């Protein structure tokens, strides 16, 4: 008579997906909240410093707050000070930012304080960079270091997506942005897990980061532009042309990126490179006006509040100046991200298109230009579509954006990225 064979001893059954995912919830929520608090802390410090540098100090010296002289002096001095700080802080505030992406392997924890200090000074001084890259790098480093201490045996594959998602969720005020950015890398991982299993922890972290930032700071990307009522046949052509124009402007910066980086690297001294970069940024600010300074999020709302307040030529100058400022800031050594300045470029370019052809709806022109410039500079399709759409908060524009993204992606795909390898060669 046959009998059932006894189960092998010493082997535990494979955990179910639910058993694997439940333990991730608490670390994900903790990382998301902490990531948002670090972003908020650096942002608030930068705002206080900005008030001192651009209001209190020039008022005390009886100099115009945004006069050409003050912009040149302030940005040159900021480059010098930031260069000296990078030279003396542990780890030199991280690697060359021209070689770094948005989500990279963890830095040593000792690098984080200097990186956060340099980032706050960069944001306050008027440099055309956003906080996303350095804050994400700092949060990844801290999450990995603390996570390994409290949960021994865990790997970077757990902590990097959690910290990245928490930071991106806090930056955009929604976990959707984090999910869109991380879905590609997580989907390419080897293993049998479903994509949504891999996104479970990052979504929790992104939601925690977004809710923390929303409750404490109430961020908003809505530009309050006139509503885009319904698409017309002519909008298809307009959207494609404007998106391609934005991508073309972005690709000019992308192709110039390794050459400008090589120029600053040839100076062989970060203090000199940053001081010269600050001087050039000050001259560009004097040319484009004070709205072309800083990361661009507040300034872009001022532009959008009065779409007829500037001529098409003035909008075009601001777009070109901001592109040049982003190119210089990202290659000379300032720590910062490129998404928010690129959004300013896209908004200015879209308003230029609307000023040239008033029949093109302003919401359509702005979103398509933002889509094009972000596709060229970030090479993140979902992020570009999402960012362009949230600027108007109107689902009616999404089908047109999707159509415009197709020929624009054909233009940018396979081309160099706005990043270089350690040896200075373009990244593809």
């Amino acid at each position: 008579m046959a009998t059932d064979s006894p189960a092998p001893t010493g082997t535990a059954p494979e955990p179910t997906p639910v058993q694997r995912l439940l333990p991730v919830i608490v670390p994900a929520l903790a990382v998301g909240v902490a990531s948002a608090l670090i972003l908020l802390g650096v942002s608030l410090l930068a705002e206080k410093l900005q008030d001192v540098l651009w209001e209190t100090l020039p008022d005390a010296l009886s100099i115009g707050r945004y006069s050409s002289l003050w912009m040149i002096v302030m940005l040159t001095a900021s480059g010098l000070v930031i260069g000296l700080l990078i030279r003396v802080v542990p780890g030199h505030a991280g690697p060359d930012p021209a070689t770094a992406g948005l989500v990279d392997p963890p830095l040593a924890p000792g690098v984080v304080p200097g990186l956060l200090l340099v980032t706050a000074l960069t944001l306050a001084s008027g440099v055309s960079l956003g906080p996303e890259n350095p804050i994400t790098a700092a949060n990844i480093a801290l999450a990995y270091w603390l996570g390994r201490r409290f949960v021994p045996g865990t790997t970077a594959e757990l902590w990097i997506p959690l910290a990245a998602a928490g930071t991106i969720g806090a930056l955009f005020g929604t976990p959707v942005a984090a999910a869109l950015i991380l879905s590609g890398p997580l989907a390419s991982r080897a293993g049998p897990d479903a994509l949504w299993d891999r996104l479970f922890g990052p979504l929790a972290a992104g939601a925690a980061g977004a809710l923390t930032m929303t409750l404490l700071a109430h961020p908003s990307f809505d530009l309050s532009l006139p509503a885009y009522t319904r698409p017309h046949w002519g909008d298809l052509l307009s959207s494609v042309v404007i998106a391609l124009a934005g991508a073309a402007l972005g690709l000019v910066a992308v192709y110039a990126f390794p050459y400008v980086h090589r120029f600053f690297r040839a100076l062989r001294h970060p203090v000199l490179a940053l001081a010269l970069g600050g001087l050039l940024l000050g001259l560009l600010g004097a040319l484009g006006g004070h709205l072309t300074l800083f990361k661009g999020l507040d300034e872009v709302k001022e532009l959008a509040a009065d779409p007829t307040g500037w001529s098409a030529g003035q909008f075009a100058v601001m777009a070109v100046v901001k592109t040049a400022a982003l190119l210089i800031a990202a290659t000379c050594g300032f720590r910062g991200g490129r998404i928010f300045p690129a959004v300013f470029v896209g908004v200015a370019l879209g308003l230029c298109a609307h000023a040239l052809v008033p029949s093109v709806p302003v919401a359509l022109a702005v979103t398509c230009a933002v889509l094009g410039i972000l596709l060229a500079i970030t090479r993140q399709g979902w992020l570009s579509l999402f960012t362009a759409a949230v600027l108007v908060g109107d689902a009616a524009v999404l089908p047109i954006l999707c159509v415009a993204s197709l020929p624009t992606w054909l233009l940018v795909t396979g081309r160099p990225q706005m990043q270089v390898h350690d040896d200075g060669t373009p990244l593809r």
Side-chain angles (χ1 to χ4, degrees):
M1 180 176 178
T3 59
D4 292 335
S5 301
T9 59
T11 60
E14 277 295 315
T16 66
V18 173
Q19 291 172 327
R20 290 198 305 269
L21 295 177
L22 282 177
V24 177
I25 293 177
V26 172
L29 296 177
V31 169
V33 172
S35 298
L37 292 176
I38 291 172
L39 170 62
L40 183 60
V42 172
S43 300
L44 291 176
L45 175 58
E47 289 175 9
K48 298 295 184 183
L49 288 172
Q50 181 178 329
D51 291 341
V52 172
L53 296 177
W54 293 95
E55 295 179 11
T56 306
L57 195 53
D59 289 350
L61 298 173
S62 300
I63 300 175
R65 291 182 177 181
Y66 291 103
S67 64
S68 296
L69 175 62
W70 187 248
M71 285 190 279
I72 294 169
V73 169
M74 176 50 58
L75 281 157
T76 305
S78 297
L80 180 62
V81 170
I82 291 171
L84 291 170
L85 278 174
I86 289 174
R87 183 179 179 183
V88 301
V89 297
H92 305 294
D96 181 353
T99 66
L102 180 59
V103 181
D104 283 338
L107 302 173
V111 176
V112 172
L115 177 59
L116 293 178
L117 175 60
V118 166
T119 301
L121 288 173
T122 299
L123 294 172
S125 63
V127 175
S128 291
L129 292 173
E132 57 273 17
N133 284 47
I135 299 296
T136 303
N139 285 338
I140 287 174
L142 291 175
Y144 179 64
W145 177 59
L146 291 172
R148 297 265 292 181
R149 288 177 66 88
F150 288 105
V151 190
T154 53
T155 66
E157 286 189 350
L158 170 65
W159 301 108
I160 289 177
L162 296 185
T167 309
I168 297 166
L171 280 164
F172 288 91
T174 170
V176 176
L180 293 176
I181 290 176
L182 294 174
S183 59
L186 292 178
S188 64
R189 276 189 189 174
D193 294 343
L195 175 59
W196 274 92
D197 285 348
R198 301 177 188 185
L199 282 172
F200 182 83
L203 273 175
L211 285 172
T212 301
M213 184 61 72
T214 300
L215 292 171
L216 295 177
H218 314 292
S220 174
F221 284 80
D222 191 346
L223 299 182
S224 300
L225 292 170
Y228 180 67
T229 53
R230 63 186 183 87
H232 300 275
W233 289 110
D235 294 343
L236 292 173
L237 178 60
S238 302
S239 64
V240 170
V241 170
I242 294 170
L244 288 173
L249 180 58
L251 286 176
V252 170
V254 168
Y255 275 100
F257 192 82
Y259 298 100
V260 180
H261 178 258
R262 195 175 304 150
F263 166 77
F264 283 112
R265 178 177 277 191
L267 299 177
R268 298 184 179 279
H269 203 296
V271 178
L272 179 58
L274 282 157
L276 177 58
L279 172 61
L280 295 174
L281 291 176
L283 293 171
L284 285 170
L287 175 63
H290 74 278
L291 289 179
T292 60
L293 302 178
F294 303 102
K295 65 182 179 183
L297 190 56
D298 293 331
E299 291 71 23
V300 84
K301 292 180 180 179
E302 189 172 339
L303 278 185
D306 188 11
T308 60
W310 292 267
S311 67
Q314 289 172 314
F315 283 128
V317 167
M318 284 189 278
V320 172
V321 165
K322 190 69 170 182
T323 304
L326 170 59
L327 175 62
I328 291 170
T331 52
C332 72
F334 286 109
R335 272 51 175 171
R338 300 153 200 171
I339 295 175
F340 294 125
V343 169
F344 180 96
V345 174
V347 172
L349 189 63
L351 292 174
C352 172
H354 173 70
L356 287 172
V357 187
S359 60
V360 177
V362 62
L364 179 70
V366 165
T367 53
C368 289
V370 169
L371 171 69
I373 190 80
L374 285 178
L375 282 174
I377 287 180
T378 69
R379 218 56 58 83
Q380 293 270 359
W382 288 121
L383 174 67
S384 303
L385 278 168
F386 171 81
T387 305
V390 298
L391 293 177
V392 295
D394 189 350
V397 78
L398 274 173
I400 298 290
L401 285 177
C402 290
V403 171
S405 71
L406 300 178
T408 308
W409 183 254
L410 292 177
L411 176 64
V412 304
T413 187
R415 299 187 185 274
Q417 298 186 37
M418 202 172 189
Q419 187 178 341
V420 295
H421 295 286
D422 290 335
D423 61 1
T425 57
L427 179 70
R428 289 185 177 271

